[in-house]
Amino acid sequence: MLCLPSPVELSSYWETLKEDELFLLQRLKQSEGTVIKSLWTTIQNVLDTKQPPFRIILKSAENLDAGHMVATGDTLKGTEKDWAWIQENLMPGVADLEDMSDKEAFAVSKFQSFVTSEDKDTDEKSNDAKFRAASRSWRQIFHMPEEERLVNFYSCSYHKKLMNQGWMYISVSYLCFYSFVFGVETKVVIELKDIEELAKDKSKRGVVNDAIRIKLRNQAEHVFSNLFHRDESFDLLEHLTNLAMQKLLKNTSTDPAPGLSLQGNIPAMSAVAGTAKALSLGVRPLKQNFEEAKRNARFQAAFNLPTTETLIEEISAVCQIAGTKSSFSGRLSLSDTYLCFISNVKYQCYLVLPFYAIMRVEKINTQMSTIAITVRHQLKLIFQMTSDKTASDKVCNTLRDRLQAHVGLMKQLKPFLATCPSEELLNGKEVVIGGLGLKYGFVDGKRASEKNKLRYWVSYFREFGRNLTLIRLPTFIKLVRIGLPNTLRGEVWEVSCGAIHKRYMHPGYYEKLHQDHAGEVSLSTEEIEKDLNRSLPEYSGYQTEEGINALRRVLYAFSWHEPEIGYCQAMNIVVSVLLIYLTEEQAFWILTILCERMLPGYYSTNMVGAVVDNHVFETLVAKYMPIMAEHFKKYEIQLSVACLPWFLSLYINSISLPYALRIIDCFFMEGPKGIHRWIVAVNYDSGPNTLAYSLAILKINGDAIMKVKDDGELMNVLKAYFATLGEVVQSDEQKAKRNITKFNQLILTAYREFQSVSHELIVDLRKTLQLKVVHGLDLYAKRSVIRNLNHTSRFNKEELLFLCDEFFSVQYYGRQDAQKKSSDRMEYDHFVMFLSRLADWANLKKDADEQQSRLGAEDTVKPIVGSSLLQKIFSTCFDTDGDGFINFQDLVSGLGKLIHSDMMTRMNLFFALHDGDKDDTLVKDEIIQFSESLLFLLRREDGDKHLGCVSGFLNRAFMLNAKNAVVADEAQQKTDADSLAPAVSPSTAPSSAISVNISTFRELVLGDEYLVEYFDKGFPASFVLKEREAVQVTAPPPGKEIAESLWAGGIKWIGAKRGRIPASDGGQKPAEGSGDGSSLLAQTDDEEGEEEEVEEDNEMLDEVDGLMKTSPVVADDALPIATKPELDEATPIGTKLESEDSAPVFSKADTELEILL
């Protein structure tokens, strides 16, 4: 295979096979001794210096002992094809050049150009020869499919019984490890979707913190240590495992997407759909793509930006607000659409400024890299960049380009701002745009308190911006904590969570959803209709058609926007509160933000996000209140009974709505710290999270909770507490100050008692628990599939669970489209993948790789003889309705026919598989096809007994047919003689056609003991219905290497002693034609002492043969070797001996002896 030219030195370890003016084709010399070869291979594997056995070198014009390696190969045939390509395509262009240096430069440039263009769509980076070599080795060792991409590889050790030094390969879907140490080959293949626990750990000795511990769902543990880049490899594994978990959740659901229309019209997903987009692999290495994706995710989460935003530039800067003395040091970031700034000190300054809201930018001080930005509301911001001038100029140029690109979006700024209540308030107008509260009243409407709050907010808006240009300072946080005014609550929610930016960028999208899907009915719309009248029924607005219709339109629109989520109960409760303070379009976009980023997985069909948070909450209770946790465990009290409604409805259904609104205000401002993100991100938060509130509730009611003994009593205690949140409580310290309510006490307890419940703690717990939760949901889904089977075809529960897991695993790896379609049905290509995971004979990929290795990369792989049997099995046993797809029930039924039927039924099945015309007979071609199928099934068997078996079957079939033909001809002749009719010519005799019926077919099969054993036990035993071991260790038999070395050394000693193989010449023949007279003398001496030497040789062979009996040598092809009979003096050396059963007996040593002597 051609590769980028890399400098190498010419050494004596390589021998030249071909040479011309410019190139060398070389082969790596093999080590003479097996022990030395094993040691050398071990060193190469540990140091990653293993060379391919063949290479092509471009000679250097300046240094005769160096050159450029331009091609490598595992086989001579493949390397010779590269040599032929060079001679045909490159040498004609080189021939026109005279200077050797010019020829070398021309060849190097051509190879660079060709390899770069060939490797651009693979995971073999064209600019990194080491990564390219690792990728090719990884594919060859583990037989990975072409679509699988290698991300990175690391040197490490694997802990099993001993510590093996080798290489870890991390791809998109697998973690692989390979080592070769002193003849022991270790392979580890772990599917990322099977990882249940991933943690940093110390080495087994507990000295160095350089290990990664992985626990699989089958409870098997794997430890990798000696990782010099442990943190980097752990972060990469964590990221890829999370991606695998998300894909696994989508893959295991067999139900259609609840939001899809029941009429069968599958809507095209919009460009603004909130589901995570597949990464564009492009031409760069995957590792760089993943690193950029994580950086963008952190940036998007920190500033509540849409998932389409990418971070372009980032620089240190000082921000100053004109007209004030405030200045803040922090980071200035530029993305596709936004200028963002966050202070180094938490909560001091936070800004998200769209480019289309910037009116003017000017440079104040060129040398100091200071710019002044004037925004829509006449707010002026001054940024002084503190990095070097080059970086500052780059940021300024990027800012200029992005401003020019967003000039068109400024046109819709004025009509958009007219929908913001803050604009009307600052203009002294009455707010007329908003939710149902403007018409039907707000829940908490104390006029005095409302008026005071509005005065503070208007003042803040005038000085520090509003809506699209709002700057968040500590004052903003305090104003939110004391409670938002009703007229501004919706706008502040929208600004805080970032939904206002999505609404601006997609005008008219909400109405277009209703136009495009008018009249459509889905599973989600049916569920929505059931819950409409149960959504906040106490509010007067939902006692009218106007309120119900508004709620219906928002929920319908979201189910069309996200058909994979559709609708989930409790979503109606949240939206009913949003619509009191927001318009339909505003509520729709906030709902998308909640489901995509703030509460991911909460409202999916399996509610995985809420389940994970429930486990996190239980872990926190066990940590901070262990006595209470033990009490719950003793009486089997399930906290999820109380917690899940809190999380799903944001406390709306649990506590009085005015208090729930206070919690929601902080929730939108603080972000999903309490109900944490999937992605680790910098979080601009300022207070206790929702889980801290939950812990505080249990803490305050601890005495009463310790008396409960079941779930019902726990719910009664909590309901009684929530009903009294407005009551006044006093402590001894506060009697002289002011009265506080139970709700205020709850907030104080959350702040004081649970300050250590940080964002980092929540994220770590979620990462630890989410893998277990996902696997639990996956197992539950598969058990549901098994319970719905009509019949199990005699498979037990463990086997059915294994088959179901393999069924969905093939769907997991086989489906390439982003949107799930018919995950419960399998096509033929996926069926072949599935069968190859059960039976080794069905693994066509392994055969293709071996064939490709022999033929070279340029040749087309030919189909394996007899592989058409798989198509016949699929069509006859599995695809009973003939539509080209099978479900899990079809799979179980078909495998039952292959595995659990008796021998005669299995023979009848194979007869039917090859009876193409269904005439109940097999003709000559069909008999040959059956023999090819047998060869296909038995091609991996040891020995050659199966070849004689198939040959014997054909001979018996043709002989039996010939015998029947003779009998038929004699009968025909007798009939003709009796009737005096003319004889039939041999050419027209009907006996010339071969035909075997079912009874004859059985007779032919039963006539061979090997076939009887195979159809009875061998074929069903070829299916392995249990999980394969992730670790494969291949070690040579004890004493093999020592025995081989002694035998080879003895043979060379004999040859050297006889003068046929010089002892100092590595086993090569002496040069012929030597004119030295001493050679004649030596030859005469040898002839005179020949009889004595033969006796000595035979004695030595007997001794070595005794050694071989104690340490038997296994042949390279792993065929069974019988014990070699002893040689007598009358038996010439090299004679092939026959055993008692007349089978030829050979050993590796016999073959070498026969060749050498």
Side-chain angles (χ1 to χ4, degrees):
M1 183 177 291
L2 299 179
C3 61
L4 280 176
S6 55
V8 294
E9 293 183 359
L10 303 181
S11 65
S12 58
Y13 295 107
W14 295 82
E15 59 178 331
T16 301
L17 304 180
K18 291 184 179 182
E19 183 177 3
D20 62 11
E21 177 190 6
L22 207 57
F23 294 95
L24 296 171
L25 193 157
Q26 295 184 328
R27 176 173 58 192
L28 183 65
K29 293 182 179 179
Q30 299 295 325
S31 302
E32 295 182 0
T34 309
V35 176
I36 298 177
K37 180 180 178 181
S38 175
L39 177 61
W40 180 244
T41 306
T42 300
I43 295 174
Q44 287 180 327
N45 175 73
V46 172
L47 300 180
D48 194 29
T49 58
K50 186 176 181 180
Q51 294 284 350
F54 300 92
R55 68 180 186 179
I56 297 177
I57 301 297
L58 170 64
K59 297 179 181 178
S60 174
E62 299 178 355
N63 188 355
L64 298 179
D65 295 330
H68 304 276
M69 186 169 64
V70 296
T72 60
D74 295 319
T75 62
L76 178 60
K77 185 176 181 180
T79 312
E80 285 179 338
K81 288 189 176 183
D82 292 334
W83 177 273
W85 184 90
I86 291 172
Q87 300 297 322
E88 181 180 350
N89 297 279
L90 194 63
M91 292 305 291
V94 175
D96 298 335
L97 303 175
E98 297 181 357
D99 186 68
M100 188 64 182
S101 299
D102 294 340
K103 294 182 179 181
E104 179 186 358
F106 175 82
V108 168
S109 64
K110 286 295 183 181
F111 279 112
Q112 288 177 339
S113 174
F114 178 76
V115 174
T116 301
S117 62
E118 287 294 310
D119 285 350
K120 66 180 182 179
D121 293 328
T122 69
D123 54 5
E124 299 165 5
K125 297 188 298 183
S126 59
N127 60 347
D128 192 335
K130 189 173 183 180
F131 186 92
R132 184 168 57 251
S135 175
R136 291 170 181 167
S137 300
W138 166 70
R139 290 186 185 280
Q140 292 172 1
I141 293 172
F142 299 100
H143 302 287
M144 288 295 168
E146 290 298 325
E147 59 271 13
E148 186 66 19
R149 300 283 303 276
L150 180 66
V151 181
N152 208 356
F153 66 105
Y154 303 92
S155 174
C156 70
S157 295
Y158 176 71
H159 292 266
K160 198 62 177 175
K161 293 182 180 178
L162 297 175
M163 189 172 67
N164 299 324
Q165 185 69 29
W167 293 89
M168 174 196 290
Y169 301 91
I170 301 176
S171 67
V172 175
S173 303
Y174 298 91
L175 184 153
C176 304
F177 174 83
Y178 178 79
S179 74
F180 184 90
V181 179
F182 295 110
V184 179
E185 184 182 53
T186 304
K187 294 181 182 179
V188 181
V189 180
I190 298 174
E191 300 180 48
L192 297 184
K193 68 179 183 64
D194 291 338
I195 295 178
E196 189 174 88
E197 185 177 335
L198 183 65
K200 297 179 182 179
D201 203 352
K202 293 185 178 181
S203 303
K204 281 198 171 182
R205 295 180 181 178
V207 179
V208 183
N209 195 11
D210 64 346
I212 293 177
R213 180 172 53 84
I214 296 174
K215 187 176 181 181
L216 305 184
R217 60 180 180 177
N218 61 1
Q219 305 306 308
E221 282 196 3
H222 303 272
V223 179
F224 301 90
S225 64
N226 289 353
L227 280 162
F228 297 103
H229 304 281
R230 198 272 301 271
D231 293 339
E232 176 187 329
S233 57
F234 181 85
D235 291 341
L236 181 59
L237 270 176
E238 188 178 60
H239 179 70
L240 292 173
T241 304
N242 285 334
L243 293 180
M245 290 300 104
Q246 295 176 25
K247 185 178 178 181
L248 182 64
L249 280 174
K250 292 183 179 181
N251 184 71
T252 53
S253 176
T254 58
D255 297 327
L260 294 180
S261 172
L262 296 180
Q263 285 82 6
N265 299 324
I266 300 178
M269 293 297 292
S270 170
V272 300
T275 53
K277 308 295 188 298
L279 288 173
S280 176
L281 301 180
V283 300
R284 297 187 307 164
L286 275 182
K287 180 186 174 184
Q288 294 183 13
N289 285 340
F290 287 136
E291 289 176 350
E292 182 177 330
K294 289 190 291 184
R295 187 180 69 148
N296 289 333
R298 287 193 295 266
F299 171 71
Q300 295 158 9
F303 295 99
N304 294 329
L305 298 179
T307 55
T308 54
E309 289 299 307
T310 58
L311 180 60
I312 301 176
E313 298 290 345
E314 193 172 25
I315 194 171
S316 297
V318 176
C319 174
Q320 183 178 359
I321 304 173
T324 67
K325 297 180 180 180
S326 304
S327 63
F328 312 96
S329 298
R331 301 288 296 177
L332 176 67
S333 306
L334 299 181
S335 68
D336 298 324
T337 316
Y338 302 94
L339 180 151
C340 304
F341 180 84
I342 187 170
S343 60
N344 294 330
V345 180
K346 272 189 175 184
Y347 324 136
Q348 294 300 308
C349 183
Y350 177 93
L351 169 67
V352 177
L353 187 62
F355 291 131
Y356 47 79
I358 297 176
M359 300 292 103
R360 184 179 180 181
V361 177
E362 55 184 335
K363 278 192 176 183
I364 298 178
N365 189 330
T366 305
Q367 294 182 349
M368 297 294 294
S369 300
T370 304
I371 59 175
I373 297 178
T374 305
V375 300
R376 171 76 182 184
H377 301 116
Q378 303 305 313
L379 179 66
K380 190 173 183 179
L381 303 172
I382 301 173
F383 292 97
Q384 180 182 347
M385 285 163 274
T386 56
S387 297
D388 58 90
K389 192 173 185 305
T390 303
S392 301
D393 292 342
K394 188 177 180 182
V395 170
C396 292
N397 294 334
T398 302
L399 177 60
R400 179 196 60 203
D401 296 338
R402 301 316 301 161
L403 287 173
Q404 292 176 352
H406 288 81
V407 171
L409 289 175
M410 294 182 181
K411 298 178 181 179
Q412 65 190 54
L413 190 59
K414 186 174 181 180
F416 179 84
L417 293 178
T419 64
C420 299
S422 58
E423 296 293 327
E424 297 180 350
L425 283 175
L426 266 69
N427 293 328
K429 299 180 181 179
E430 183 180 358
V431 176
V432 295
I433 298 177
L436 297 173
L438 294 175
K439 182 176 182 180
Y440 297 99
F442 296 104
V443 177
D444 184 13
K446 296 180 181 179
R447 293 187 177 181
S449 176
E450 183 82 3
K451 188 175 181 180
N452 291 331
K453 291 177 182 178
L454 282 176
R455 187 174 72 253
Y456 286 120
W457 277 102
V458 170
S459 175
Y460 186 88
F461 287 158
R462 292 188 186 278
E463 190 172 0
F464 301 110
R466 53 194 179 274
N467 44 67
L468 293 173
T469 63
L470 180 68
I471 302 176
R472 298 192 206 177
L473 300 175
T475 306
F476 174 84
I477 297 173
K478 294 178 181 178
L479 290 175
V480 173
R481 283 185 184 175
I482 64 176
L484 294 171
N486 291 319
T487 52
L488 289 176
R489 176 167 271 144
E491 181 179 331
V492 175
W493 285 355
E494 191 181 22
V495 172
S496 298
C497 70
I500 191 171
H501 303 303
K502 298 194 74 171
R503 183 165 68 93
Y504 187 94
M505 296 299 294
H506 305 100
Y509 176 75
Y510 175 75
E511 294 298 333
K512 190 173 185 301
L513 279 175
H514 286 283
Q515 295 173 6
D516 294 343
H517 301 273
E520 288 187 3
V521 178
S522 65
L523 296 176
S524 295
T525 58
E526 293 178 354
E527 292 298 319
I528 290 170
E529 290 297 329
K530 296 177 183 178
D531 291 341
L532 285 177
N533 293 321
R534 293 181 286 187
S535 306
L536 216 63
E538 66 274 14
Y539 182 66
S540 59
Y542 296 115
Q543 298 171 7
T544 65
E545 285 298 321
E546 181 182 2
I548 294 296
N549 287 335
L551 182 60
R552 177 187 291 113
R553 284 169 54 83
V554 173
L555 295 175
Y556 272 30
F558 182 81
S559 69
W560 297 326
H561 172 74
E562 282 285 6
E564 289 291 329
I565 297 177
Y567 169 77
C568 175
Q569 285 186 341
M571 192 183 289
N572 60 317
I573 302 298
V574 176
V575 175
S576 64
V577 173
L578 295 179
L579 284 174
I580 298 176
Y581 302 94
L582 298 159
T583 63
E584 290 182 22
E585 185 180 12
Q586 291 172 327
F588 166 78
W589 285 115
I590 285 187
L591 182 60
T592 62
I593 293 293
L594 284 173
C595 295
E596 291 170 15
R597 187 176 67 243
M598 303 188 77
L599 303 175
Y602 265 58
Y603 303 112
S604 60
T605 53
N606 47 34
M607 297 189 298
V608 60
V611 175
V612 170
D613 280 338
N614 178 69
H615 282 72
V616 171
F617 182 58
E618 290 177 348
T619 304
L620 292 175
V621 171
K623 178 179 180 180
Y624 290 98
M625 292 172 280
I627 298 177
M628 186 179 294
E630 286 296 327
H631 180 77
F632 290 152
K633 185 177 180 180
K634 178 180 178 180
Y635 292 100
E636 297 182 353
I637 298 174
Q638 300 295 325
L639 271 177
S640 58
V641 176
C643 298
L644 283 180
W646 298 350
F647 299 151
L648 290 172
S649 66
L650 300 180
Y651 291 93
I652 294 172
N653 267 359
S654 302
I655 64 178
S656 179
L657 191 53
Y659 300 116
L661 290 172
R662 294 278 302 276
I663 295 178
I664 294 175
D665 292 342
C666 295
F667 170 70
F668 280 117
M669 177 191 65
E670 296 168 4
K673 177 185 177 183
I675 311 176
H676 39 270
R677 292 187 182 97
W678 282 87
I679 303 171
V680 181
V682 179
N683 196 18
Y684 190 84
D685 52 69
S686 59
N689 50 55
T690 312
L691 289 182
Y693 284 126
S694 305
L695 290 170
I697 292 172
L698 298 184
K699 179 77 172 180
I700 293 173
N701 296 275
D703 294 338
I705 290 176
M706 291 299 295
K707 298 177 182 179
V708 303
K709 296 182 179 180
D710 56 41
D711 300 336
E713 292 182 13
L714 175 63
M715 293 297 296
N716 291 334
V717 169
L718 295 176
K719 285 181 180 179
Y721 172 72
F722 291 146
T724 60
L725 284 177
E727 294 182 359
V728 176
V729 293
Q730 283 186 339
S731 64
D732 295 337
E733 300 177 359
Q734 295 165 339
K735 286 181 180 179
K737 296 182 180 179
R738 62 184 178 86
N739 296 330
I740 63 170
T741 63
K742 287 187 176 181
F743 181 76
N744 292 331
Q745 182 192 36
L746 172 64
I747 295 178
L748 290 173
T749 304
Y751 271 97
R752 294 174 179 176
E753 300 289 339
F754 303 105
Q755 286 183 349
S756 58
V757 182
S758 62
H759 172 71
E760 291 75 15
L761 174 62
I762 299 298
V763 169
D764 290 341
L765 287 175
R766 183 168 189 131
K767 287 180 181 178
T768 302
L769 298 171
Q770 68 181 359
L771 300 180
K772 295 181 181 179
V773 171
V774 171
H775 282 301
L777 294 173
D778 175 57
L779 181 62
Y780 177 79
K782 290 172 181 175
R783 285 178 175 172
S784 299
V785 173
I786 293 173
R787 283 194 298 269
N788 293 330
L789 290 175
N790 296 327
H791 54 84
T792 61
S793 299
R794 297 169 59 186
F795 291 106
N796 58 41
K797 291 182 179 180
E798 290 74 16
E799 291 173 339
L800 287 172
L801 189 60
F802 171 77
L803 292 175
C804 188
D805 183 63
E806 294 298 312
F807 177 83
F808 284 108
S809 293
V810 169
Q811 299 290 77
Y812 174 90
Y813 293 114
R815 186 182 298 108
Q816 298 298 323
D817 52 350
Q819 189 173 355
K820 174 175 65 66
K821 297 178 182 178
S822 302
S823 66
D824 58 338
R825 305 194 71 199
M826 178 185 288
E827 58 185 3
Y828 172 70
D829 292 338
H830 292 171
F831 168 76
V832 175
M833 293 173 58
F834 170 83
L835 209 59
S836 67
R837 297 170 73 97
L838 305 184
D840 192 43
W841 53 262
N843 191 348
L844 301 180
K845 179 67 172 60
K846 187 176 180 180
D847 294 295
D849 290 343
E850 294 173 353
Q851 190 179 149
Q852 193 80 66
S853 177
R854 293 193 306 269
L855 300 178
E858 302 299 328
D859 281 4
T860 303
V861 177
K862 298 179 181 178
I864 307 299
V865 174
S867 58
S868 58
L869 175 67
L870 293 174
Q871 180 66 59
K872 296 173 184 176
I873 292 176
F874 177 78
S875 303
T876 304
C877 302
F878 295 89
D879 186 18
T880 54
D881 53 4
D883 63 348
F885 292 90
I886 60 175
N887 56 28
F888 186 64
Q889 179 67 75
D890 298 331
L891 198 68
V892 171
S893 302
L895 286 174
K897 297 175 185 177
L898 297 177
I899 298 175
H900 291 146
S901 58
D902 56 33
M903 182 179 66
M904 301 304 292
T905 304
R906 199 172 290 118
M907 285 193 292
N908 294 343
L909 174 62
F910 271 80
F911 182 89
L913 289 175
H914 296 85
D915 185 14
D917 51 6
K918 305 302 178 184
D919 59 352
D920 296 330
T921 57
L922 298 182
V923 297
K924 178 180 179 181
D925 291 341
E926 293 171 340
I927 294 176
I928 294 176
Q929 288 178 10
F930 173 72
S931 65
E932 291 176 346
S933 298
L934 286 178
L935 292 175
F936 172 74
L937 292 171
L938 300 170
R939 68 190 186 281
R940 302 197 194 282
E941 295 292 325
D942 294 336
D944 56 359
K945 191 173 182 179
H946 64 283
L947 299 178
C949 164
V950 176
S951 176
F953 174 85
L954 289 175
N955 288 334
R956 292 195 306 275
F958 294 146
M959 290 176 62
L960 181 62
N961 187 79
K963 181 179 179 181
N964 293 336
V966 171
V967 174
D969 289 344
E970 292 177 353
Q972 183 66 35
Q973 291 175 4
K974 184 177 180 181
T975 304
D976 294 342
D978 294 340
S979 61
L980 301 178
V984 180
S985 63
S987 62
T988 61
S991 60
S992 60
I994 299 177
S995 177
V996 174
N997 57 24
I998 181 63
S999 59
T1000 306
F1001 177 79
R1002 292 175 182 168
E1003 180 183 350
L1004 293 173
V1005 174
L1006 295 174
D1008 189 287
E1009 183 179 352
Y1010 187 91
L1011 287 181
V1012 171
E1013 179 69 19
Y1014 182 73
F1015 276 98
D1016 186 23
K1017 298 179 181 179
F1019 180 73
S1022 66
F1023 294 88
V1024 181
L1025 302 183
K1026 62 180 181 180
E1027 191 171 355
R1028 299 178 185 271
E1029 290 291 334
V1031 183
Q1032 298 179 7
V1033 180
T1034 306
K1040 172 186 174 182
E1041 296 180 354
I1042 298 176
E1044 285 185 344
S1045 298
L1046 290 174
W1047 183 268
I1051 296 303
K1052 291 180 182 179
W1053 180 78
I1054 294 173
K1057 188 174 181 181
R1058 289 187 171 184
R1060 300 184 183 183
I1061 303 177
S1064 61
D1065 197 22
Q1068 297 181 1
K1069 292 181 178 180
E1072 296 179 359
S1074 298
D1076 194 347
S1078 61
S1079 63
L1080 295 176
L1081 181 60
Q1083 185 176 359
T1084 303
D1085 294 338
D1086 286 342
E1087 291 175 353
E1088 291 176 354
E1090 184 175 0
E1091 295 180 358
E1092 296 178 359
E1093 290 176 353
V1094 169
E1095 293 180 359
E1096 294 177 359
D1097 292 344
N1098 287 335
E1099 291 176 1
M1100 188 277 297
L1101 286 174
D1102 289 340
E1103 293 178 2
V1104 178
D1105 187 54
L1107 175 63
M1108 295 301 293
K1109 288 180 180 178
T1110 58
S1111 300
V1113 178
V1114 179
D1116 288 337
D1117 55 0
L1119 296 177
I1121 300 173
T1123 305
K1124 187 169 75 66
E1126 295 184 359
L1127 297 173
D1128 55 31
E1129 295 183 358
T1131 305
I1133 297 176
T1135 302
K1136 298 180 181 179
L1137 302 179
E1138 301 289 327
S1139 62
E1140 294 180 359
D1141 56 357
S1142 300
V1145 180
F1146 296 96
S1147 69
K1148 184 172 182 180
D1150 294 328
T1151 306
E1152 291 181 347
L1153 185 64
E1154 194 173 23
I1155 293 173
L1156 292 174
L1157 303 181

